[in-house]
Amino acid sequence: MKAKANTSQRPRDVQELSALFEISQTLDASMDLREVVGPMLSVMAGKLGMLRGTLTLLNRDTGEISIESAHGLSVSQRERGRYRPGEGVTGMVVQTGQPAVVPRISEEPLFLDRTGARRKLLKKDISFICVPIKLGREVIGALSADRLFDEKVSFEEDVRLLSIIASMIAQAVRLRQSAEEEHRRLTAENVRLQEALQDRFRPSNIIGDSRAMQGVYDQIAQVSGSRATVLIQGESGTGKELVAHAIHYNSPRSEKPFVRVNCAALPESVLESELFGHEKGAFTGAIAQRKGRFELAAGGSIFLDEVGDFTAATQIKLLRVLQEREFERVGGTKTIKADVRVVAATSRDLLQLIAEDSFRQDLYYRLNVFPIYLPPLRERKTDMPLLVDHFIRKYSADGDKRVTRISSPALEMLMRYEWPGNVRELENCIERALLVATDEVIQAHQLPPSVLASHGPASSDAEGLQAALDNLEREMIINSLRAARGNRAAAARTLGISERLMGLRVRKHNISARQFRTVR
Ligand SMILES: Nc1ncnc2c1ncn2[C@@H]1O[C@H](COP(=O)(O)OP(=O)(O)OP(=O)(O)O)[C@@H](O)[C@H]1O
Ligand SMILES: [Mg+2]
């Protein structure tokens, strides 16, 4: 009897294997579960004699178990197949995580036949087998099938077979879930990067896309939102005032005043009252009470320009405002709160001034909370064409001459010049060239004598090439120093040259070391 059963089940084993193989291939065919479940259930029906194979999945949001796909059920039958965990046989399986077998559905009160698919059949002839689909310990749904009741078929066999298929489905679901998560993550990352690219901050008043200036824009973006004191350093004409403006107008204080104090232009005698105001009668000529710049800037920003030119006495007073955030008017006793954001600038080397004892170190630290260094124009000559275009547009709009561009030799001369007066000097140079221009193109001979005198026109291609190479060398050295935070040895290593050669090149190109120096 036993031997007979074994031989009669042989073909079934083979059938099972080939069915499982086919199912695994079906599951691989598409990443969309809905596309693969249908064919998979057909295989179950066709090859394993399992009718009305049904895949139900638990919807985590609604807590409902619904039919994901079914073989042999109409759409409306499928629609009716909704259960709660614990409800009916399928619900029990999802709730307990245990398989269930109903040998004759007519004898099982738990069997709801909610879909109504079996009404026309004699219920006593149908068996129902249902197994859980598990991801780890979590039950995510159930797989079930009907078969015609047959005393000879062992239900354990059916449960085992369905469980194998269920675990294959679970793997497929897991794979799709992680692929979907990965896809969502990548999409979100992509969107974020796109936004970052579009939003890459660039103050509207400042021209230039050199790497050095990109760094400055990033710093402006970083600091604008806060109230941190900013110290802008850089040679004369590099655009320090523009940066101060950009910080204020990109800050939450942009609607409030931006008050500039030129510390170099004011004589000591009036500076204090200019900054802090005075009470009536505080000194001869103080005929009325007057508000100082710190009070006028309330809620906004105060721009202390040329802060390196402050006298010793004023430095102490400024230090106090920065420390205590309050002050008194000259001749007054009332303490006034200073709700201002301080932006300071200087073209002097403050460290040098400290060494000479003409600038207080404690004040330097108070100001240098967020330092921004503006590199001289000769160190970012790649900005030249954009700046020239910008100034041509700015000044040709003024007059009636329509100058539209600069000739290549003229631009080449501008690229060679060292620009001690930086962007301001370039701006003046273009303004002047527009005045003498005779047609719509600025020619080399129309440039100012300073520019012409320093190098003379390019006499040969070799000379032009040398100039271009020098420029390239210079920018490479500056970039490597910047990346190495001023560490010459490290910068030399990245360029593959000796430290000694690095030293020689830094001197040859007159590269200012200030920008790379880090204090503290
Ligand atoms: N990147 C730039 N883009 C456009 N214009 C610029 C730029 N840099 C400077 N300028 C122009 O150059 C002139 C000088 O700039 P700014 O007054 O900001 O320089 P500064 O660093 O404050 O100089 P100083 O130390 O002499 O006061 C201004 O007319 C300014 O508009
Ligand atoms: Mg200035």
Side-chain angles (χ1 to χ4, degrees), residues 329-351:
R329 297 193 190 112
V330 176
T333 49
K334 201 178 86 183
T335 301
I336 299 167
K337 282 260 167 266
D339 171 23
V340 289
R341 196 287 164 78
V342 177
V343 180
T346 181
S347 52
R348 317 260 314 251
D349 184 346
L350 289 185
L351 292 178

Side-chain angles (χ1 to χ4, degrees), residues 112-131:
L112 301 172
D113 192 20
R114 197 163 272 174
T115 62
R118 301 162 186 94
R119 268 172 211 156
K120 290 198 200 100
L121 292 166
L122 286 171
K123 287 187 183 166
K124 70 174 169 47
D125 293 336
I126 301 173
S127 314
F128 179 77
I129 304 134
C130 184
V131 300

Side-chain angles (χ1 to χ4, degrees), residues 205-208 213 234-242 305-306 347 374 380 387 390-391 394 423-424 427:
N205 58 338
I206 307 180
I207 304 295
M213 290 309 286
E235 291 179 12
S236 177
T238 45
K240 297 186 290 296
E241 190 161 350
L242 292 187
D305 205 0
E306 301 302 351
S347 52
L374 276 173
R380 46 177 163 115
L387 283 167
H390 170 71
F391 293 132
K394 178 171 171 185
V423 184
R424 179 182 291 111
E427 181 168 1

Side-chain angles (χ1 to χ4, degrees), residues 69-226:
S69 192
H71 183 77
L73 289 188
S74 70
V75 174
S76 62
Q77 286 170 341
R78 208 181 290 181
E79 272 300 299
R80 281 193 297 260
R82 290 179 187 283
Y83 315 86
R84 303 237 131 229
E87 194 184 13
V89 178
T90 302
M92 285 295 291
V93 169
V94 170
Q95 192 175 52
T96 61
Q98 298 294 325
V101 175
V102 182
R104 288 169 195 267
I105 58 174
S106 54
E107 290 164 14
E108 175 56 67
L110 251 184
F111 194 85
L112 301 172
D113 192 20
R114 197 163 272 174
T115 62
R118 301 162 186 94
R119 268 172 211 156
K120 290 198 200 100
L121 292 166
L122 286 171
K123 287 187 183 166
K124 70 174 169 47
D125 293 336
I126 301 173
S127 314
F128 179 77
I129 304 134
C130 184
V131 300
I133 300 174
K134 291 184 181 175
L135 259 186
R137 292 192 177 173
E138 190 192 358
V139 180
I140 58 167
L143 178 67
S144 63
D146 287 5
R147 69 156 61 251
L148 287 178
F149 181 73
D150 178 351
E151 296 208 312
K152 291 199 286 293
V153 176
S154 117
F155 290 116
E156 283 100 85
E157 280 289 298
D158 282 339
V159 168
R160 185 184 56 80
L161 191 58
L162 274 188
S163 297
I164 294 174
I165 300 172
S167 78
M168 286 161 69
I169 295 172
Q171 287 312 311
V173 168
R174 186 204 300 277
L175 205 74
R176 280 156 184 80
Q177 275 178 353
S178 59
E180 226 164 81
E181 263 159 37
E182 179 71 0
H183 180 75
R184 261 202 304 275
R185 197 184 60 73
L186 285 175
T187 312
E189 176 74 358
N190 199 334
V191 167
R192 196 186 62 74
L193 287 175
Q194 291 279 351
E195 280 173 0
L197 263 186
Q198 274 165 10
D199 286 5
R200 174 121 205 203
F201 177 73
R202 158 101 121 82
S204 52
N205 58 338
I206 307 180
I207 304 295
D209 60 3
S210 59
R211 252 210 271 169
M213 290 309 286
Q214 296 281 4
V216 171
Y217 303 153
D218 287 348
Q219 285 182 303
I220 295 174
Q222 277 166 29
V223 81
S224 291
S226 79

